């Protein structure tokens, strides 16, 4: 499993979330984004806005990982729920906060 995504906290994390939203044709509620630390946290936020039939598809997790990794080039097959979004704790706070302003 990949320890952390190649997100730097410099805005690329916003692009990654937008890639997921575009792929699934949804808008993720980012009001709790400041608390997101792992890929699993983002996936849980995605599940809240997905229709039940999409949640039930066995390919939803892999599809999510592929969309999330577009900006980083990381191997989506190596991403797990515990994979860290941004390696530096200050980057999580500084970078994810920008989601509120988009």
């Amino acid at each position: 499993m990949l320890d952390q995504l190649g997100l730097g906290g410099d805005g690329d994390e916003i692009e990654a979330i937008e890639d997921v939203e575009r792929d699934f044709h949804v808008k993720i509620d980012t009001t709790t984004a400041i608390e997101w630390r792992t890929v699993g946290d983002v996936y849980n936020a995605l599940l809240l806005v997905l229709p039940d039939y999409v949640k039930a598809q066995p390919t939803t997790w892999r599809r999510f990982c592929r969309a999330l990794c577009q900006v980083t080039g990381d191997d989506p097959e190596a991403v797990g729920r515990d994979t860290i979004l941004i390696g530096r704790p200050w980057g999580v706070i500084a970078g994810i906060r920008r989601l509120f302003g988009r």
Side-chain angles (χ1 to χ4, degrees):
M1 183 179 83
L2 192 61
D3 289 334
Q4 70 182 46
L5 288 182
L7 298 171
D10 58 356
D12 56 353
E13 70 282 0
I14 295 169
E15 187 177 343
I17 301 301
E18 289 172 343
D19 286 343
V20 170
E21 290 176 330
R22 268 190 300 278
D23 188 86
F24 284 93
H25 306 287
V26 296
K27 185 77 168 164
I28 296 173
D29 180 3
T30 59
T31 56
T32 62
I34 194 69
E35 301 168 10
W36 298 348
R37 178 145 173 77
T38 67
V39 170
D41 294 332
V42 179
Y43 187 65
N44 290 338
L46 173 65
L47 291 176
L48 292 174
V49 297
L50 286 179
D52 288 339
Y53 75 92
V54 177
K55 290 181 206 178
Q57 294 175 355
T59 57
T60 300
W61 169 256
R62 282 295 140 216
R63 179 178 167 192
F64 162 76
C65 291
R66 280 192 308 274
L68 191 65
C69 290
Q70 286 179 34
V71 71
T72 65
D74 289 316
D75 177 5
E77 296 297 321
V79 174
R81 288 181 178 266
D82 293 330
T83 299
I84 303 294
L85 291 172
I86 301 171
R88 299 172 298 235
W90 62 266
V92 173
I93 293 168
I96 298 292
R97 272 193 182 157
R98 292 186 206 154
L99 286 171
F100 296 109
R102 60 179 174 141

